[in-house]
Amino acid sequence: MGKFYIVEAFLPLGIIAGMLCVMGNAQYYIHRAAHGRPKHIGNDVWDVAMERRDKKIVENLSTAGN
């Protein structure tokens, strides 16, 4: 009967894993609701600056072409 001490860890491990999943999914759905798209993995300040620059260039080209 002394060999079942590992089974005692399953419930806390399941609770911890479940809470990690809930927190990760909450961040995903909150970000998607706020920005309309999922967050890109590894998207830092440099990537945001380059995306903003590219958007400005495309807008300038589209207005210059009209």
Side-chain angles (χ1 to χ4, degrees):
M1 181 109 181
K3 297 190 182 226
F4 291 109
Y5 60 91
I6 287 194
V7 177
E8 294 177 1
F10 288 155
L11 181 62
L13 183 63
I15 292 171
I16 292 169
M19 289 297 117
L20 286 172
C21 292
V22 166
M23 288 186 297
N25 283 321
Q27 288 179 352
Y28 170 79
Y29 286 112
I30 290 169
H31 189 277
R32 193 178 75 176
H35 298 285
R37 62 181 180 183
K39 183 175 185 199
H40 298 289
I41 303 299
N43 196 11
D44 58 0
V45 176
W46 177 260
D47 295 325
V48 171
M50 291 298 105
E51 186 176 336
R52 191 176 300 131
R53 180 201 63 152
D54 294 344
K55 192 175 188 180
K56 187 187 294 184
I57 290 171
V58 169
E59 286 176 359
N60 287 342
L61 288 174
S62 66
T63 57
N66 290 334

